[in-house]
Amino acid sequence: MTPLPDSSHLFARSLLQYLDALYGFAWWLTHHREEIEDLVQETCLRALRSAHQFEPGTNLKAWLFSILEHEWLRRQRLAKREVQSDAYSADPQSEGREWAVEIDVIRAALRKDLDEGLRALSEEYRSAVLLFDLYGFSLKETAEILAVPDGTVKSRLSRGRQMLRDKLRAYGSGSSDAEM
Amino acid sequence: MLRCETVKDFLDALRDGTLGLSEVQEVRSHLATCSACGRESEVTEALRAAIRNRVSAPAAPAAFREAMAHLLARQATPMGWFARLQEAFRRQPVAAMALTAAMVLLVLVPLNLQMLFRRETVLPLVEESVNEHIRLTLHETPPEIPIRELQPLPVRHQRRLELFQSLSFPDDSEYHVTGGQVSYLLHRKVLTVTYYHRPNRPITLLVLPSTGIQLPDQPIGLAGKVYWAIHQGFRTAHWQQGPLIYSLVADSDEADLSRLVEKLQHK
């Protein structure tokens, strides 16, 4: 058997380090296990085939996420799934909210509430919030992964968080009819 | 003094560490004096902390991880010479095609090629063949030879180019394959491979079925069973190996070509 060259072998192994993160992010995009695994597998194979395009010293994790996001969008286009535009509008009454109470609500939020709140966001807002707030990518990296300008990421973060906050407040007050 | 809208826009950049020193100071000073922005920042931080600490997604199942490890290890196997040829041609197709066409011209003359069919022998064979070769190369997708890489393949039928040994030497930095093309020439498949030897000193190898091709009766130089010649400043070497003709062309010393001939002949 031909021995693997160090560079290819190491690169393949480095991909495995991010398997959980890729799997998790794919899980947020789709809950279908087969689709998650297919998405992650295709991401890794594409990365391996395009290894020469990766610039050493840059963020491999961000590069892999951008491949996954790109592949997901490509599949969505192929499936002709239309991403519904978000019909969110700011709650005018929220201007006068009690900040301390809201912080308590957020701090007391259960994982289930956070999961449901995030899942209720439209994909563009959810991805921005997850990439920046959960996975810790920078604004620039998040913009590159989502292939949108930095300003769009800031806007999506702001609106996405606001929607999540409203959702958590609704959970906190025992209501489940928060409009997303 | 920064406006509240601006500060709100700056909050993520502040966490990101991408603000300049003066901007950082201005934002912090604003947050210290503006209760609305201070609270907004606090709520956002609480939300981020909740997301970081309480939101998670399932990890990759063990079976999937194991399958991926096997798959990636298999895929990481070094590209065979043919795949590398295709990659090189995808990257620099024009240069490779031009080189291929030039090399074909140089090789056809000393080989004294003859056509398989009598009616074609009365035609200007070299020009026709070269034109055909270029036409196919430039305007049509060259047919690919179904080669299982590095595996000896038996002759199955005429016109199929069957290679019995590898033409690439991955461990040899002196002669490594940088390009290649499969096309038709004289009604048969021909494989053209380019080796990088020294800067501006590529070596081109043509491999084509020997049927109907007559090597020179009285070659200019003959060493063993390798026919040597010089045409238009290019050194050429030709030999027959099994059912194939191998032809090397290069603007190099004979010694450089000789080493490659030996490697190709497995000496």
Side-chain angles (χ1 to χ4, degrees):
Chain A
M1 182 176 173
T2 307
L4 296 176
D6 285 346
S7 58
S8 299
H9 189 53
L10 288 175
F11 191 78
R13 287 178 63 184
S14 64
L15 297 183
L16 290 174
Q17 293 176 8
Y18 299 110
L19 205 60
D20 284 340
L22 291 170
Y23 194 94
F25 187 54
W27 181 81
W28 281 106
L29 298 173
T30 171
H31 258 355
H32 300 290
R33 179 172 173 170
E34 285 184 1
E35 200 170 13
I36 293 171
E37 294 186 352
D38 197 44
L39 200 53
V40 173
Q41 176 177 312
E42 184 61 27
T43 298
C44 291
L45 291 179
R46 278 176 183 266
L48 201 57
R49 286 196 294 267
S50 310
H52 61 280
Q53 294 175 1
F54 175 70
E55 297 177 19
T58 59
N59 191 336
L60 176 59
K61 186 178 177 184
W63 188 63
L64 292 173
F65 270 60
S66 69
I67 294 175
L68 191 147
E69 174 73 14
H70 180 80
E71 176 63 16
W72 169 248
L73 293 177
R74 188 186 71 82
R75 291 179 183 210
Q76 282 194 307
R77 280 196 297 272
L78 286 176
K80 294 181 179 176
R81 297 175 191 165
E82 294 184 1
V83 177
Q84 298 296 320
S85 61
D86 185 77
Y88 171 79
S89 59
D91 176 5
Q93 294 181 349
S94 66
E95 297 298 327
R97 68 173 59 89
E98 291 292 334
W99 297 95
V101 172
E102 186 179 7
I103 289 177
D104 287 344
V105 167
I106 291 172
R107 287 176 178 159
L110 300 173
R111 177 184 167 180
K112 172 176 166 291
D113 295 339
L114 283 162
D115 282 355
E116 284 184 12
L118 283 165
R119 184 68 69 183
L121 297 181
S122 64
E123 189 181 313
E124 57 184 1
Y125 296 119
R126 183 173 64 239
S127 292
V129 171
L130 288 173
L131 290 171
F132 188 78
D133 288 339
L134 177 61
Y135 290 100
F137 290 112
S138 67
L139 287 171
K140 187 171 183 296
E141 288 168 340
T142 302
E144 286 175 354
I145 291 169
L146 298 175
V148 296
D150 291 7
T152 304
V153 169
K154 289 178 184 173
S155 165
R156 289 182 183 179
L157 278 174
S158 175
R159 296 193 66 192
R161 286 178 187 144
Q162 188 59 59
M163 285 186 276
L164 187 56
R165 283 161 60 176
D166 290 345
K167 189 73 176 174
L168 293 178
R169 282 176 59 241
Y171 287 138
S173 63
S175 167
S176 60
D177 59 352
E179 293 296 330
M180 286 288 113
Chain B
M1 185 70 178
L2 291 176
R3 297 171 56 193
C4 291
E5 293 79 11
T6 309
V7 170
K8 197 173 175 183
D9 279 348
F10 278 177
L11 287 179
D12 284 325
L14 179 67
R15 296 181 195 97
D16 222 10
T18 52
L19 286 183
L21 191 58
S22 61
E23 289 171 323
V24 169
Q25 288 173 342
E26 281 190 74
V27 170
R28 284 183 175 159
S29 143
H30 182 97
L31 290 176
T33 56
C34 175
S35 58
C37 286
R39 289 194 296 264
E40 178 70 20
S41 172
E42 198 176 349
V43 170
T44 303
E45 276 308 310
L47 186 64
R48 283 170 52 85
I51 291 173
R52 275 197 309 271
N53 298 330
R54 267 166 278 166
V55 170
S56 62
F64 177 65
R65 173 178 290 279
E66 189 178 349
M68 283 301 298
H70 284 297
L71 178 65
L72 290 175
R74 196 166 65 243
Q75 293 291 323
T77 303
M79 292 173 74
W81 63 268
F82 190 69
R84 281 201 294 272
L85 294 184
Q86 291 177 312
E87 182 64 23
F89 258 74
R90 271 197 295 273
R91 290 182 183 182
Q92 293 185 316
V94 175
M97 287 176 199
L99 181 64
T100 299
M103 292 301 105
V104 168
L105 272 171
L106 287 165
V107 169
L108 288 179
V109 175
L111 274 181
N112 189 24
L113 294 170
Q114 294 183 354
M115 297 300 294
L116 289 171
F117 307 101
R118 173 174 288 277
R119 64 180 177 82
E120 291 169 332
T121 59
V122 299
L123 298 173
L125 301 181
V126 172
E127 288 182 17
E128 287 290 317
S129 302
V130 171
N131 287 342
E132 180 72 358
H133 175 78
I134 293 173
R135 185 182 69 78
L136 282 168
T137 304
L138 291 178
H139 299 295
E140 294 180 9
T141 302
E144 294 182 3
I145 299 175
I147 293 176
R148 282 171 295 174
E149 303 210 347
L150 307 181
Q151 297 294 318
L153 296 173
V155 175
R156 292 176 181 160
H157 57 79
Q158 197 174 13
R159 296 187 183 182
R160 173 166 287 191
L161 194 60
E162 309 287 358
L163 301 173
F164 284 82
Q165 81 280 354
S166 170
L167 300 182
S168 68
F169 315 103
D171 299 329
D172 189 339
S173 60
E174 199 175 7
Y175 301 97
H176 62 268
V177 172
T178 58
Q181 177 72 29
V182 176
S183 187
Y184 275 98
L185 176 66
L186 298 175
H187 296 278
R188 72 202 71 194
K189 283 188 174 176
V190 59
L191 171 68
T192 309
V193 179
T194 304
Y195 295 89
Y196 174 89
H197 180 53
R198 293 174 185 170
N200 300 318
R201 289 289 186 276
I203 300 176
T204 298
L205 168 69
L206 293 187
V207 184
L208 62 164
S210 60
T211 311
I213 296 177
Q214 185 178 349
L215 290 168
D217 292 331
Q218 294 181 330
I220 297 173
L222 177 60
K225 291 197 175 182
V226 179
Y227 296 82
W228 292 91
I230 296 178
H231 290 274
Q232 301 177 25
F234 285 83
R235 191 176 300 278
T236 62
H238 318 282
W239 71 97
Q240 185 166 350
Q241 197 165 338
L244 301 175
I245 291 282
Y246 289 71
S247 297
L248 282 175
V249 184
D251 182 14
S252 294
D253 298 336
E254 184 173 336
D256 290 338
L257 279 186
S258 293
R259 285 199 293 275
L260 184 54
V261 169
E262 289 177 359
K263 292 176 75 67
L264 289 167
Q265 291 184 335
H266 287 268
K267 287 184 177 176

